[in-house]
Amino acid sequence: MNLRRRTIDPRSLISDNELSLDPLDSASSISPLTTTTATAAATTTTTATTTADLLTTPSNDVLLDVTLKASVWEHFERLIGVVPLTAKCSICEENLLTPNYGTSSLRRHLFQRHGLQQFGLNETPQPCVATHRLTRKEKENLDALAVDAIIQDGRAFGDFQKSGFKKYINALKPGYKPPTRNYIVKKLKRLHQQHTIYTVTEFEQADFLSVTCDFWTNRQQKSFLVITGHFIDKDFNEHCKVLKFITFEGRHFSKLIAEVIEKELISLGLFNKLITITCDGAANMRDMFNYFNRPHITYIRCIAHKLHLIICNSLNLWVKEKKNRTTTAMAETVEYDSSEDNDEDDLPIRLTQMIRSMSVDVDYISSENSLSKNGDDSSNEPQSENESTDISSDEDEWIDSDHDEEIIDNFIEGVNLQDVVLDDLQKQVKKVVHIAREIVNTSKRTAILSNFLEKKRINYNLQVPKDEHIKRRLSNDVKTRWNSSYKMLSTISMYRDLISDMFKNKGNIDLTNKQRKKLASIELTTDQWDLIKLLVTLLQPFYSATKVLSNNTYPTIGSALYLIRSLEENLVELESNLTLNALKAKVLEKFQYYLSKDTDQFNTLKMYGFFDPTGLAALTKVEQTSVEKQLTQIFKKSFVPTASSSTSSSGAAYTVPKSNNIDKAWEAFLKCTNKELEQEVTTATTTSIQDEFKRYKNLATKLYALKLLL
């Protein structure tokens, strides 16, 4: 059988069921099964007819088209039992395909092959639609930008396929179809492979490698391990890159952690270059060094973790106080769990809490709009680059920060949670911190109080200059980040006038009796407000030090040594306020316990900090001499000079560059402060390691002085 396939012209295709429209019976007999199949097919095809086709076709043309379709079958015979559906021309006996028994191909055959003009296809003009075609290069660039946006912003893979996104993108770039989820997954896998190759190539030039490890568990109880590599090349350029970011499915045993880290570094060809690992002080992380298949890997404990333990355990932020049996009823009222404060007002609060927990702070957006409508045109000023990226900008950093939801990591290891006996000052600190938490919880869980404070904040911002605006939100603290406690207390202190107004007007606010009693039980006294202010003053240097240590643009081991010495000097310095001095004494005790008395770790800090101008400036003369002796011993063991090397490398004369005005000025300053530079060796036949120490210390001192100047 000779079958000839015809292409259906979409412009003339009007789906219909010719069996139901044809008043004439076909020459061939049609079985009931065939009739049913054709009817179902015609029904499906009729559904596919678009409203636009019917609107653009006049009714008379439709009737004419139906008549032509019916008369088509006078010249064709349906072939029964043939798949696909086929019709045989009674004039030339050619078999033609008829999808769903459509007549477009049959009419075209009669018109073109046999010259039957009445079967000419009616081409109705279609509305002109402007099409926007993108070049392949444009499409690839836009897709790459979409993938970069997902990576940088941590967006879901299917975000660009959402209807709102697609409408917005189509308005910006008509004709562009954003990448699908499957495309993004494939692209990310390719990028992962490419960057793995780039990382291996980059770290091949490393002679020695240091890594930092971090372990944490998210709210879905899924554990993650991230390994970051650091090295300095021969040109003294620092290289820092995440080597592995993996899920950890096993138990958090030291042996398993060591095996995973060793396996991942071996896969990159870096394990034999490893010399130090910086991680927190959890027991499983400390003990993993016993299970590596290579000795002499130095453990450096995270200083930020130590600062966390110093603050939490010196101020007893999370301990449970042992209560005496004679505890008063008022104290019991203050100490009761806030979770019991669930009354009939909790139900309407749920929606507000859900909205407030979204990533976009709707309240903040609306409040800023209110400010702009009330004449604050300063929001239209362009924001400078420094203003948006400066890590010291606390206002912008805290606007939407909320630590109510806690992520579990090893920073909780070592935090004292047990019952302890507290002295009077410790009890006062614990009580004021507890009340601060209750104020935050109560205001955030009660929509009326939350709205009251928000309106007060907006009115306050309208009355003060822009640089005095309150942009922060009340936020609670968590056990795994001590700086969250500082942020909570600092924000509470900033809201002092607003919170005082809330306490004064509690009788006028639409609250239940239970809520009013709760609010009255957590009202701060003047002495407690003053204590909060002292705590903020005490903790502010530690907060700044933590931010310096959290920077990833420069090595921080030298800075850590300098910060430790500076913080210790600050704690030793006496103030005019006796309560502040007592608080400093409490913190200093834990400070020395976790830092100064940890001899091994502190000596490691001094050794590595010696090679950082900032760390060198923090070392005393005695400590510098001690480190130099250790380095001399290492030098003698590791480097045995030969006759040729001593003349080639050590025998060359060292030329001191001519000092410029800045050098002379700093030399004069250092001389008058008893920090005169040591005499350098300018020409010599041999140069000892002691001479190298002198040169390095002179250069490091100048660099440190220049750093302070800048």
Side-chain angles (χ1 to χ4, degrees), residues 316-571:
N316 299 288
L317 296 180
W318 300 102
V319 300
K320 296 179 181 178
E321 179 186 357
K322 286 186 177 180
K323 298 181 181 179
N324 298 325
R325 295 182 179 180
T326 59
T327 304
T328 61
M330 178 60 69
E332 292 177 353
T333 303
V334 174
E335 295 291 338
Y336 81 94
D337 189 357
S338 61
S339 61
E340 298 177 0
D341 188 23
N342 295 327
D343 53 17
E344 64 276 6
D345 288 351
D346 283 347
L347 293 177
I349 296 174
R350 298 301 182 191
L351 181 59
T352 306
Q353 289 299 111
M354 291 171 62
I355 295 175
R356 200 171 285 119
S357 64
M358 294 180 179
S359 59
V360 178
D361 196 334
V362 179
D363 292 339
Y364 178 71
I365 296 175
S366 61
S367 66
E368 291 301 316
N369 290 338
S370 301
L371 287 173
S372 61
K373 290 178 181 178
N374 285 277
D376 187 5
D377 56 355
S378 59
S379 60
N380 295 326
E381 298 177 359
Q383 188 179 20
S384 65
E385 182 179 356
N386 294 333
E387 196 173 354
S388 60
T389 59
D390 186 7
I391 63 171
S392 64
S393 179
D394 292 346
E395 298 296 332
D396 295 335
E397 182 185 353
W398 293 8
I399 288 175
D400 293 322
S401 64
D402 198 343
H403 299 276
D404 290 350
E405 297 297 336
E406 184 172 5
I407 296 178
I408 301 173
D409 62 12
N410 285 338
F411 266 46
I412 200 172
E413 294 291 333
V415 176
N416 191 4
L417 305 175
Q418 304 300 322
D419 296 345
V420 296
V421 179
L422 305 178
D423 59 26
D424 291 339
L425 180 59
Q426 291 172 330
K427 289 180 180 179
Q428 294 176 22
V429 172
K430 179 175 174 54
K431 184 175 182 179
V432 78
V433 171
H434 172 77
I435 293 177
R437 291 170 183 156
E438 289 296 313
I439 290 174
V440 175
N441 290 332
T442 304
S443 63
K444 295 185 70 173
R445 293 176 182 176
T446 308
I448 297 175
L449 296 179
S450 179
N451 293 333
F452 178 87
L453 290 177
E454 180 62 20
K455 291 179 181 178
K456 288 289 183 180
R457 186 184 72 87
I458 294 174
N459 292 333
Y460 176 84
N461 289 344
L462 292 175
Q463 300 171 7
V464 298
K466 185 179 179 180
D467 57 347
E468 299 180 13
H469 283 186
I470 298 178
K471 299 181 181 179
R472 306 178 190 176
R473 300 281 179 165
L474 291 177
S475 61
N476 221 329
D477 59 344
V478 293
K479 298 182 183 70
T480 55
R481 293 294 181 270
W482 81 265
N483 53 352
S484 64
S485 300
Y486 169 76
K487 290 181 179 181
M488 178 188 70
L489 295 174
S490 176
T491 309
I492 286 284
S493 180
M494 187 176 294
Y495 271 69
R496 177 171 181 171
D497 293 338
L498 282 61
I499 294 175
S500 298
D501 288 343
M502 180 182 69
F503 288 136
K504 292 178 182 178
N505 293 281
K506 59 180 178 290
N508 301 326
I509 303 175
D510 188 16
L511 299 173
T512 64
N513 291 332
K514 192 173 184 179
Q515 289 173 333
R516 288 194 182 94
K517 291 180 180 178
K518 172 67 176 178
L519 205 58
S521 67
I522 59 175
E523 186 170 354
L524 291 165
T525 64
T526 303
D527 291 339
Q528 289 173 334
W529 279 115
D530 294 340
L531 182 57
I532 289 178
K533 187 175 181 179
L534 292 177
L535 289 172
V536 172
T537 303
L538 172 68
L539 298 178
Q540 202 278 331
F542 286 87
Y543 176 73
S544 300
T546 303
K547 291 182 67 177
V548 172
L549 292 174
S550 302
N551 199 294
N552 58 2
T553 58
Y554 50 80
T556 56
I557 191 164
S559 302
L561 186 59
Y562 184 86
L563 292 170
I564 290 173
R565 287 290 166 81
S566 300
L567 288 173
E568 187 173 14
E569 291 176 2
N570 177 266
L571 292 174

Side-chain angles (χ1 to χ4, degrees), residues 97-217:
L97 296 177
T98 59
N100 295 328
Y101 284 124
T103 60
S104 298
S105 59
L106 306 183
R107 291 166 59 186
R108 187 181 298 105
H109 174 79
L110 294 175
F111 174 71
Q112 296 177 355
R113 181 68 63 84
H114 303 295
L116 301 179
Q117 300 297 324
Q118 66 271 26
F119 294 106
L121 299 176
N122 295 326
E123 297 186 359
T124 56
Q126 298 294 325
C128 181
V129 180
T131 59
H132 300 270
R133 298 180 62 87
L134 300 178
T135 63
R136 184 175 181 179
K137 187 66 175 176
E138 289 177 325
K139 170 71 174 172
E140 291 176 352
N141 291 338
L142 292 173
D143 288 345
L145 289 174
V147 174
D148 289 342
I150 289 175
I151 295 174
Q152 294 178 13
D153 300 338
R155 305 203 64 86
F157 294 170
D159 276 1
F160 285 97
Q161 289 298 316
K162 294 180 179 180
S163 57
F165 257 120
K166 294 177 75 173
K167 289 180 181 178
Y168 181 71
I169 291 173
N170 187 61
L172 294 176
K173 193 70 175 179
Y176 171 63
K177 294 183 179 180
T180 62
R181 178 186 181 87
N182 292 335
Y183 172 86
I184 292 173
V185 170
K186 293 179 181 178
K187 186 67 175 177
L188 289 177
K189 289 181 179 179
R190 294 195 194 102
L191 288 175
H192 180 267
Q193 295 174 355
Q194 293 174 6
H195 283 278
T196 300
I197 296 173
Y198 295 156
T199 301
V200 172
T201 304
E202 178 183 355
F203 277 71
E204 281 180 350
Q205 58 180 318
D207 295 326
F208 305 100
L209 176 71
S210 297
V211 301
T212 55
C213 295
D214 198 8
F215 225 135
W216 74 94
T217 303

